[in-house]
Amino acid sequence: MGNGADQNSVKKNAHTKLKLKMLLLVILTNLLTIYIFTGPSFSLKLNSYSNQLTLPLLNSTALLSELSSTKVELAASHGIIAELQQQLNSTNLLVQALLIELTREFVHSNEKVSSINLSAVMSKLSDDLTVGLPDEVKLAVGPHKLPFGYSPRMGSDELIAPVGAGCLKFHDELVKYMTYDTGGECPVDDVFAQRLMLKGCEPLPRRRCKPKSPVNYVEPIPVPDSLWAKPAETSIIWDPYSCKSYQCLIDRKKAPGFFDCKDCFDLQGREKSRWLIDNGKLDYGIDQVLSMKPLGTIRIGLDIGGGTGTFAARMRERNVTIITTSLNLDGPFNSFIASRGLIPMHISVSQRLPFFENTLDIVHSMHVLSNWIPDSMLEFTLYDIYRLLRPGGIFWLDRFFCFGSQLNETYVPMLDRIGFKKLRWNVGMKLDRGVNKNEWYFSAVLEKPMT
């Protein structure tokens, strides 16, 4: 609060000085005009007037320079005011969103407050959140009255669409995302929408438009052949990606530079042998991991950040159903997974996993969960994985990257706090950039205790 007051005081002083400068300039200009037209040095002769005008005492160049400098300062002040106004709007939206959640928690913990009052408060706060937004945005994120009134099951008489809190922070981007012809074709804005998701606007609000359909679409290849076949080029919309064909994506493995999951689209290359061989170190085999549990008890699961879905394909061959989360980072990862006859899920690692507790037999993640994630967020993610695993379910953490100093100081204690039981644990140094980098991988099979 003190910092805000100091900043306001500084800005007020700056504006006051600016106004005084402008007033001084006006006075000086008037005095100059009077002096020119009434002073003794002013002389006007029709035949030689250009040689008779003199401007004693005042330097016109300095005056113009001062005026120009004042204009620049004035323009900068307008920019600062506009930026502060935008930040204030974003802060108001976030505070109002917090008030909604606080009100909900308060009412649920206080039996004396009626559900009708809750609905009224929530409706008022929701209306405040959408002030200044276009009608389509209000319709998408605003409250909707239930057709049959108050529902005891819900404890409310309205529905509010779930929208990520980050959406309220990025007002202009949200409006842009929700700008389209209702009932018409959606903009091809996959890259923009995904970037908005990664900023925290997840889930995105629903839209009332239709996605563009691929031209000359053909029926997919039947399972099981689809698991290892290159899909038809006409199976997706290529507009958002730098590559315009699957062959281009396959050839990326030979291209210089960094690409996410660079060789994942080449199903006849390294993907073909993934998880088939257990080297007794960091690389585990699927059959060896499945053998840790009674035959047939690993049936359903999740692969977090599963690239093009090869882990799910291998599990499918073993009658295990795996859902694969993936982002489309300059490549049609979700479409490719679906073309293989597998189930993609387009969510980021920040999103709460949309499964009920104690339901999945296995969760796997390779490379995605590592030290690039802030420690507190990673711990929430690991607790979320623990939540959805059934008792006796396993968490296969595949090549987790970290620095040597982090391994025993941060990640081993974190996993112990959560309560996983170690069934298998391997650690190995990452050597491709040299020993002095002190970079490490660890792989593990962790079990949620039965009791």
Side-chain angles (χ1 to χ4, degrees):
M1 293 296 289
N3 290 337
D6 291 341
Q7 290 176 0
N8 289 334
S9 176
V10 170
K11 288 172 184 171
K12 287 180 180 178
N13 290 336
H15 288 307
T16 302
K17 290 180 180 179
L18 184 59
K19 290 178 180 179
L20 288 174
K21 281 186 177 182
M22 293 179 67
L23 179 60
L24 180 60
L25 283 173
V26 172
I27 294 172
L28 288 174
T29 303
N30 290 336
L31 289 175
L32 176 63
T33 303
I34 294 171
Y35 186 86
I36 290 173
F37 285 97
T38 62
S41 64
F42 180 76
S43 176
L44 182 60
K45 295 181 181 180
L46 294 177
N47 59 344
S48 59
Y49 69 91
S50 61
N51 295 323
Q52 299 298 322
L53 183 61
T54 61
L55 301 175
L57 299 179
L58 292 175
N59 189 328
S60 61
T61 302
L63 185 63
L64 290 173
S65 177
E66 180 71 15
L67 181 60
S68 177
S69 175
T70 302
K71 287 181 178 179
V72 171
E73 293 179 8
L74 182 60
S77 298
H78 284 309
I80 293 172
I81 292 170
E83 183 180 351
L84 288 173
Q85 185 64 45
Q86 184 177 5
Q87 292 177 0
L88 181 61
N89 289 340
S90 298
T91 303
N92 286 339
L93 289 172
L94 290 172
V95 169
Q96 290 164 352
L98 180 61
L99 284 173
I100 289 177
E101 293 304 318
L102 289 174
T103 303
R104 190 193 302 274
E105 292 298 323
F106 173 75
V107 172
H108 285 186
S109 63
N110 190 340
E111 296 179 355
K112 296 180 181 180
V113 180
S114 70
S115 297
I116 300 299
N117 290 338
L118 170 62
S119 297
V121 172
M122 296 291 286
S123 180
K124 177 62 170 64
L125 289 173
S126 297
D127 289 343
D128 292 342
L129 282 172
T130 57
V131 170
L133 293 175
D135 290 342
E136 189 69 10
V137 181
K138 292 180 181 180
L139 194 61
V141 306
H144 299 269
K145 290 293 183 182
L146 294 174
F148 303 107
Y150 175 78
S151 167
R153 180 178 297 175
M154 293 175 55
S156 176
D157 65 347
E158 62 185 12
L159 280 175
I160 299 176
V163 176
C167 298
L168 303 175
K169 184 177 180 182
F170 302 101
H171 180 278
D172 293 341
E173 288 92 334
L174 178 61
V175 171
K176 179 179 178 181
Y177 177 73
M178 293 301 295
T179 300
Y180 50 83
D181 294 328
T182 302
E185 186 173 278
C186 296
V188 183
D189 57 359
D190 304 50
V191 176
F192 173 79
Q194 184 169 266
R195 189 176 295 119
L196 191 55
M197 283 174 54
L198 292 173
K199 287 181 177 180
C201 184
E202 186 181 21
L204 290 165
R206 290 169 172 168
R207 299 198 289 192
R208 295 190 298 167
C209 57
K210 304 168 188 175
K212 183 178 179 181
S213 295
V215 178
N216 299 321
Y217 182 84
V218 296
E219 292 291 333
I221 300 169
V223 176
D225 294 339
S226 62
L227 293 177
W228 302 102
K230 183 177 74 171
E233 301 289 355
T234 57
S235 62
I236 68 162
I237 301 296
W238 290 100
D239 298 18
Y241 314 114
S242 56
C243 271
K244 306 302 179 186
S245 68
Y246 279 118
Q247 191 58 48
C248 172
L249 293 171
I250 292 171
D251 292 340
R252 267 186 179 175
K253 63 181 181 179
K254 306 172 186 175
F258 173 81
F259 296 96
D260 192 81
C261 209
K262 194 170 185 178
D263 58 355
C264 289
F265 290 93
D266 184 8
L267 298 183
Q268 304 309 314
R270 189 168 63 160
E271 290 292 290
K272 192 73 173 179
S273 60
R274 284 192 190 275
W275 299 292
L276 292 182
I277 299 174
D278 192 313
N279 66 4
K281 299 177 182 178
L282 291 170
D283 298 325
Y284 300 172
I286 280 183
D287 293 327
Q288 286 74 18
V289 172
L290 291 179
S291 68
M292 294 180 174
K293 305 299 293 183
L295 183 65
T297 59
I298 302 297
R299 307 151 301 156
I300 56 173
L302 175 70
D303 188 17
I304 299 173
T308 54
T310 295
F311 181 82
R314 286 296 179 207
M315 285 294 201
R316 175 71 177 265
E317 294 171 336
R318 291 156 177 77
N319 296 319
V320 180
T321 300
I322 297 291
I323 294 174
T324 304
T325 74
S326 189
L327 293 173
N328 296 325
L329 299 172
D330 197 24
F333 288 89
N334 280 265
S335 299
F336 193 83
I337 293 168
S339 72
R340 299 178 75 177
L342 306 168
I343 306 170
M345 183 177 288
H346 187 229
I347 61 172
S348 75
V349 72
S350 305
Q351 174 80 315
R352 182 181 189 270
L353 295 169
F355 301 94
F356 193 66
E357 59 195 41
N358 300 316
T359 54
L360 299 187
D361 302 314
I362 184 170
V363 174
H364 172 265
S365 182
M366 183 177 188
H367 293 309
V368 173
L369 298 181
S370 63
N371 72 344
W372 72 271
I373 302 175
D375 291 348
S376 57
M377 179 175 284
L378 177 64
E379 187 164 357
F380 272 104
T381 302
L382 294 175
Y383 268 106
D384 202 26
I385 291 170
Y386 188 95
R387 173 187 64 82
L388 56 88
L389 281 171
R390 63 165 175 81
I394 57 175
F395 175 32
W396 180 353
L397 195 52
D398 201 342
R399 283 185 172 263
F400 185 106
F401 172 81
C402 64
F403 296 111
S405 59
Q406 297 174 307
L407 181 58
N408 291 319
E409 292 179 9
T410 302
Y411 299 119
V412 171
M414 184 183 296
L415 291 168
D416 288 342
R417 280 197 305 274
I418 294 167
F420 286 112
K421 175 184 176 183
K422 295 184 181 72
L423 300 184
R424 184 171 175 181
W425 181 274
N426 293 89
V427 179
M429 180 171 275
K430 185 175 182 289
L431 299 173
D432 58 320
R433 300 205 311 153
V435 176
N436 60 324
K437 294 291 185 181
N438 195 25
E439 296 175 336
W440 292 77
Y441 285 121
F442 70 87
S443 294
V445 177
L446 309 172
E447 183 183 53
K448 180 175 180 176
M450 292 292 290
T451 55

